[in-house]
Amino acid sequence: MQAMRRNWKGLAAAAAMTVAAHAAMAAVPLPALNANPAEVSVSGLSAGGFMAVQLHVAYSATFKRGAGIVAGGPYYCAEGSVLNATGRCMTHSTSIPVSTLVSTTNSWAASGAIDPVSNLTGSKVYLFSGTADNTVKQAVMDDLKTYYQSFVPTANTVYKNNLGAGHAMVTDDYGGACSTTASPYINNCGFDLAGEILTHLYGPLNPRNNGTLGGTFTEFNQSEFITGHGAAATGWIYVPQACTTASCRVHLVLHGCKQNYTDVGDQYVKKTGYNRWADTNNIVLIYPQTSTAATNSCWDWWGYDNANYAKKSGPQMAAMKAMVDRVTSSGGGSSLPAPTGVGTSGATASSMVIGWAGVSGATGYNVYRGGSKVNAAPVAGTNYTDTGLAASTTYSWTVAALDASNAQGAMSTAATGTTTSGGTGGTCYTASNYAHTLAGRAYALWGLTYAYGSAQAMGLWNIYVTTTLKQTGPNYYVIGTC
């Protein structure tokens, strides 16, 4: 969105009352539908496109079918810098270091921060860039195609870049003029982009349903999976009628900046063309939502919320993985409620203690880090020490109770925690706050500057305020001296 390049300082306050009123509406738990875990994919526009790339690459074992990217860019394109995000990753004002991003991807996969890149060889990618898109330039999408060439076979990739579309999700019958870039960022270009994406990812499909849909739209409780971190209290899911009894496919749909429910109502959820294809092809659609507390309602693809935003441990990333896990699960035979009061404590450089309130009737608990179970046997008490973690790294945990038959109940809200640096030494850097962000030691948010890792406030983001940052771990900085 063009809003991604301007007004970075303060737009949340004006919408706060609207968000609170909407969040107060009743929402149901995301259903366990026993959907097919081998048939999961993701797509998104703009910030949602960048996030779709992140999910596809970091959770390649989950999003096996692949990704559809509309006006996005290479994985970890911003490298934690808002200047990179709004510069090279949107306007292509400087070149994008694709080879470096490929190396980072391989390194993180080797360390376990993201899934093995070998998973990507079996997935498919659909890329779209409008010739009239001046928000995310085609050169950025060209670099995304180059990035994917390191991991996805050429035959599995489609790149549509010859349509005169502005910065928007494209349909064949709804939205503004094709070449425009304006809210709600849905354009009628006479081209069924949602259908093209789904057909490429899943193969030949049944004709779409142009009439009344037979499935159900449900507003679900997103707070089960994430609270804060720029996420809304609720999201949306479309379930075709057949998927209440049959095992269906799953497609995660990510809106762009200034496109969440508060910003544009249900237009992105209901008018972008996905649902009519899903209805006749047994595809469950999950529409996660940001809140207006997120910068410009964007998903975190440059680090405004968390330094580990592009890894499996990123709060938004882990939450969406958990949503997919819920929909692909059978729900088990347990009606035990989700544990409450989940929190972290006792951080060391390689471990974290996760604690929670006991659930009546539970005989044990399972603990999940980033969507993956970490305990070998059921946990008897109400705390668990997770080990083998990396220093100065933020992780996310959820907990579920087990009944006497070892059937698992509802999943808790996620709790995050950051491991310590593992030492008192370090290297110090003294520079302006502006220079710190350029060097990747800090990030800017709403005109203020924060140290990566510790998120300590450094004051105004400009060339006049000088701060000394001490690096105590990989991508972890604190205010101090050496």
Side-chain angles (χ1 to χ4, degrees):
M1 304 305 166
Q2 289 187 355
M4 290 169 67
R5 293 204 301 266
R6 62 178 185 265
N7 190 28
W8 293 87
K9 287 189 178 181
L11 49 88
M17 292 182 65
T18 303
V19 174
H22 180 68
M25 297 174 61
V28 302
L30 187 66
L33 298 171
N34 198 29
N36 189 343
E39 297 288 325
V40 178
S41 60
V42 61
S43 67
L45 162 68
S46 193
F50 282 96
M51 178 60 83
V53 173
Q54 287 179 189
L55 287 166
H56 182 215
V57 174
Y59 282 115
S60 57
T62 295
F63 296 93
K64 297 183 179 72
R65 272 294 185 173
I69 315 300
V70 184
Y75 179 75
Y76 201 51
C77 181
E79 294 186 292
S81 166
V82 68
L83 293 180
N84 286 343
T86 56
R88 72 191 193 192
C89 300
M90 293 176 65
T91 66
H92 212 265
S93 55
T94 59
S95 61
I96 297 173
V98 175
S99 61
T100 298
L101 301 179
V102 168
S103 296
T104 298
T105 304
N106 287 319
S107 175
W108 285 357
S111 71
I114 63 176
D115 285 346
V117 295
S118 58
N119 297 321
L120 294 168
T121 60
S123 65
K124 294 184 177 181
V125 174
Y126 188 101
L127 309 176
F128 180 89
S129 177
T131 61
D133 189 340
N134 293 315
T135 303
V136 176
K137 296 280 192 176
Q138 280 203 343
V140 177
M141 286 291 291
D142 294 345
D143 284 346
L144 174 58
K145 180 183 178 183
T146 301
Y147 169 86
Y148 266 127
Q149 286 174 346
S150 295
F151 305 106
V152 178
T154 301
N156 288 6
T157 301
V158 168
Y159 184 19
K160 174 75 172 177
N161 61 353
N162 60 353
L163 191 65
H167 190 67
M169 179 62 192
V170 167
T171 78
D172 61 354
D173 59 1
Y174 183 85
C178 186
S179 63
T180 60
T181 296
S183 183
Y185 306 101
I186 304 171
N187 290 358
N188 182 356
C189 293
F191 184 76
D192 186 1
L193 182 53
E196 293 297 320
I197 290 172
L198 293 175
T199 298
H200 178 63
L201 296 179
Y202 290 110
L205 299 178
N206 297 321
R208 71 190 195 188
N209 179 3
N210 289 323
T212 302
L213 299 180
T216 305
F217 284 100
T218 303
E219 186 176 19
F220 69 88
N221 180 13
Q222 204 167 253
S223 297
E224 279 192 87
F225 308 97
I226 185 171
T227 55
H229 298 290
T234 60
W236 290 85
I237 183 172
Y238 179 70
V239 181
Q241 193 279 330
C243 297
T244 60
T245 56
S247 181
C248 291
R249 303 153 166 165
V250 180
H251 186 70
L252 193 76
V253 186
L254 299 172
H255 63 72
C257 298
K258 300 301 292 177
Q259 265 190 326
N260 65 28
Y261 195 94
T262 301
D263 294 320
V264 300
D266 64 6
Q267 291 184 87
Y268 202 83
V269 173
K270 294 186 177 180
K271 300 295 186 180
T272 47
Y274 287 97
N275 306 313
R276 52 196 178 186
W277 287 101
D279 200 54
T280 54
N281 290 280
N282 293 3
I283 304 173
V284 175
L285 299 171
I286 307 174
Y287 294 91
Q289 298 290 300
T290 64
S291 72
T292 50
T295 301
N296 284 330
S297 304
C298 304
W299 295 105
D300 188 10
W301 63 274
W302 69 88
Y304 74 74
D305 173 67
N306 190 277
N308 295 312
Y309 66 93
K311 300 177 181 178
K312 293 198 294 184
S313 58
Q316 291 182 5
M317 299 277 283
M320 285 187 268
K321 165 66 161 60
M323 293 177 197
V324 171
D325 287 345
R326 171 70 62 80
V327 171
T328 56
S329 73
S330 63
S334 175
S335 59
L336 289 175
T340 59
V342 180
T344 58
S345 62
T348 71
S350 61
S351 67
M352 184 74 67
V353 177
I354 300 91
W356 57 91
V359 173
S360 178
T363 59
Y365 301 88
N366 283 334
V367 180
Y368 293 81
R369 182 203 324 137
S372 299
K373 188 162 74 75
V374 294
N375 54 295
V379 179
T382 55
N383 63 77
Y384 177 82
T385 301
D386 192 9
T387 59
L389 310 179
S392 302
T393 302
T394 299
Y395 295 93
S396 176
W397 290 270
T398 52
V399 182
L402 302 171
D403 63 17
S405 300
N406 265 357
Q408 184 169 289
M411 194 70 70
S412 74
T413 298
T416 58
T418 304
T419 53
T420 61
S421 63
T424 58
T427 303
C428 284
Y429 303 87
T430 300
S432 71
N433 284 350
Y434 177 79
H436 280 308
T437 61
L438 288 180
R441 296 185 289 267
Y443 61 94
L445 178 62
W446 295 343
L448 299 176
T449 317
Y450 300 88
Y452 265 130
S454 67
Q456 290 178 326
M458 298 162 56
L460 293 174
W461 181 50
N462 58 37
I463 62 174
Y464 305 107
V465 178
T466 298
T467 306
T468 297
L469 290 181
K470 179 180 180 180
Q471 184 174 12
T472 59
N475 205 29
Y476 198 96
Y477 299 86
V478 298
I479 298 172
T481 58
C482 294

